[in-house]
């Protein structure tokens, strides 16, 4: 069941990224598949992160088409997944503030490796390097921070526990408050 969820998330991210690019070009700079790869790498599940990275990169390369080198995106996202996992396994990255530099670094690594693969194999880069790097870095970091914060706030296990304890606290406060009123 978890693998099916991952496949659906991956397809939605790739489809949404290509659809947003057709709606308004600046939306295309936010790399939603990279955000998904970073999320799985931060979960400290290396094999899953590497597979998601390779699949996301290959799907993105396949959709981009002619100027892109097939496999360069897969390699760059796989290498990024490994780098994020390596850091996440040694440093506790559970807060949103610490994830911002991780997202920025992941975007930087992904873009440098992607453009480097194109230049190494003599292919023209789809966009100038500095322009691509700066736009993708800003857009992916902002979008990733918002998406990961939203997920942590509403859908994670921590959020479920927080909601359960909030209900328990209300019950406890309500019962002690009525007890105090009765004693007076």
């Amino acid at each position: 069941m978890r693998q099916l969820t991952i496949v659906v998330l991956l397809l939605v991210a790739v489809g949404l990224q290509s659809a947003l690019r057709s709606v308004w070009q600046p939306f295309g700079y936010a790399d939603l598949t990279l955000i998904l790869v970073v999320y799985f790498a931060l979960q400290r599940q290396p094999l899953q992160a590497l597979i998601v990275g390779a699949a996301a990169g290959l799907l993105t390369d396949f959709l981009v088409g002619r100027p892109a080198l097939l496999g360069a995106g897969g390699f760059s996202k796989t290498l990024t997944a490994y780098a994020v996992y390596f850091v996440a396994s040694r440093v506790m990255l559970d807060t949103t503030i610490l994830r911002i530099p991780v997202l920025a670094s992941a975007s930087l690594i992904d873009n440098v490796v992607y453009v480097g693969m194109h230049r190494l194999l003599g292919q023209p880069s789809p966009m100038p390097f500095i322009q691509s790097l700066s736009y993708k870095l800003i857009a992916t970091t902002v979008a990733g921070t918002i998406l990961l914060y939203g997920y942590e706030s509403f859908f994670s296990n921590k959020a479920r526990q927080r909601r359960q304890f909030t209900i328990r606290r209300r019950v406890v406060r309500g019962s002690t408050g009525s007890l105090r009123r009765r004693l007076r």
Side-chain angles (χ1 to χ4, degrees):
M1 185 69 184
R2 179 136 169 100
Q3 287 82 12
L4 181 63
T5 305
I6 292 170
V7 168
V8 168
L9 280 174
L10 191 59
L11 291 175
V12 166
V14 169
L16 191 61
Q17 186 172 350
S18 64
L20 287 176
R21 184 178 294 134
S22 66
V23 170
W24 191 40
Q25 186 63 29
F27 281 149
Y29 293 115
D31 196 352
L32 300 177
T33 56
L34 181 64
I35 296 168
L36 193 64
V37 168
V38 168
Y39 170 75
F40 281 109
L42 287 173
Q43 296 301 312
R44 296 178 190 91
Q45 297 173 352
L47 185 61
Q48 210 167 34
L50 294 175
I51 290 171
V52 168
L58 287 174
L59 280 172
T60 305
D61 284 347
F62 184 70
L63 285 179
V64 167
R66 59 171 170 45
L69 194 65
L70 188 62
F75 181 72
S76 68
K77 288 196 181 9
T78 304
L79 190 63
T80 303
Y82 179 74
V84 171
Y85 166 74
F86 185 77
V87 170
S89 66
R90 281 148 180 71
V91 179
M92 193 63 85
L93 299 171
D94 289 340
T95 63
T96 305
I97 298 296
L98 293 175
R99 290 181 179 177
I100 293 171
V102 170
L103 282 164
S105 302
S107 180
L108 180 72
I109 291 169
D110 182 53
N111 204 14
V112 166
V113 171
Y114 185 76
V115 171
M117 289 288 294
H118 276 81
R119 292 213 176 144
L120 181 70
L121 297 173
Q123 297 290 324
S125 184
M127 173 182 283
F129 175 67
I130 298 297
Q131 180 184 0
S132 167
L133 178 68
S134 60
Y135 290 166
K136 278 184 92 170
L137 181 80
I138 293 168
T140 303
T141 304
V142 169
T145 302
I146 292 169
L147 288 173
L148 290 178
Y149 178 74
Y151 177 78
E152 282 293 319
S153 297
F154 298 111
F155 301 113
S156 70
N157 289 333
K158 272 198 251 182
R160 275 190 222 113
Q161 287 176 347
R162 198 176 322 120
R163 283 191 296 269
Q164 288 174 348
F165 287 129
T166 303
I167 293 170
R168 290 180 189 167
R169 280 192 296 257
R170 274 192 228 140
V171 169
V172 170
R173 284 182 194 152
S175 64
T176 59
S178 63
L179 182 61
R180 283 187 210 148
R181 281 185 231 136
R182 287 184 193 163
L183 292 176
R184 290 181 189 174

